[in-house]
Amino acid sequence: MPPPEVVLFDRDGTLVVDVPYNGDPALVQPVRGAREALDRLRARGVRIGMVTNQSGIARGMITRDQADAVNARVLELLGPFDDVQVCPHGPGDGCACRKPAPGMVLAAADRLGVAPARVAVVGDIGADVGAARAAGARGVLVPTPVTLAAEVDAADEVADDIGAAVALLLGGDDPGASAQARPSLDRR
């Protein structure tokens, strides 16, 4: 399978250590290997985006300005990013953007001028890969302690960490491939 043209990453638990409802940029800490993995994609000409559910805005726990400040810190530490999509809605709002709905993936693909089939989404929970699947994109799950076993079982592709996810997406043509990369668990 050829590498994707665009890779969209979930923010919390995938790019940065998950701090629930984080509104403080000072608490942003990249996950181990994130910068190196993103730089490998950039070196190959793969565009990068971030797609993040931020229900804390709808719940009144953080403001949009706080969420934007946290996103700006992520970009400062890990950027540049070609696109950033934020869903400010809560789980019961019925929007088309909140993962696992495909809205943010489709919006990023449209904004970057690429077909969803040439996009991959990397995330730590089933909603991330569900959004990819719903959009017609490729999804790679990187399990963390919050990932449910059923989400791992349902994922088409699973990687041990962000570096392994990038290695999986780039295939055998990745000189920076991590030893933890596993072949696809293609369950389609």
Side-chain angles (χ1 to χ4, degrees):
M1 184 178 298
E5 293 179 37
V6 173
V7 179
L8 304 173
F9 291 89
D10 169 58
R11 188 184 86 183
D12 301 314
T14 304
L15 288 174
V16 299
V17 174
D18 187 10
V19 175
Y21 309 111
N22 185 17
D24 183 354
L27 298 178
V28 174
Q29 177 184 347
V31 299
R32 188 178 46 147
R35 183 63 194 216
E36 296 82 5
L38 296 174
D39 286 346
R40 286 202 331 264
L41 289 168
R42 290 182 186 107
R44 289 282 306 277
V46 177
R47 291 177 288 170
I48 299 167
M50 182 169 65
V51 289
T52 180
N53 287 348
Q54 291 300 314
S55 68
I57 298 168
R59 297 170 198 256
M61 301 173 85
I62 62 171
T63 66
R64 179 62 191 245
D65 286 344
Q66 287 174 308
D68 289 344
V70 168
N71 288 340
R73 181 65 176 151
V74 173
L75 277 96
E76 180 183 327
L77 294 171
L78 298 174
F81 285 76
D82 297 291
D83 191 40
V84 174
Q85 298 285 325
V86 177
C87 173
H89 305 107
D93 290 346
C95 67
C97 53
R98 183 174 172 76
K99 297 177 287 182
M104 288 191 288
V105 176
L106 294 173
D110 183 60
R111 183 158 187 224
L112 297 172
V114 64
R118 299 294 300 134
V119 174
V121 179
V122 177
D124 67 323
I125 62 172
D128 300 317
V129 294
R133 188 177 291 128
R138 184 176 176 187
V140 178
L141 184 71
V142 178
T144 66
V146 302
T147 311
L148 303 175
E151 293 172 326
V152 175
D153 291 342
D156 293 327
E157 297 182 278
V158 178
D160 293 332
D161 57 33
I162 193 169
V166 167
L168 185 62
L169 291 170
L170 292 177
D173 192 25
D174 178 20
S178 152
Q180 292 87 12
R182 301 188 260 174
S184 169
L185 300 176
D186 194 1
R187 295 188 177 122
R188 290 181 212 184

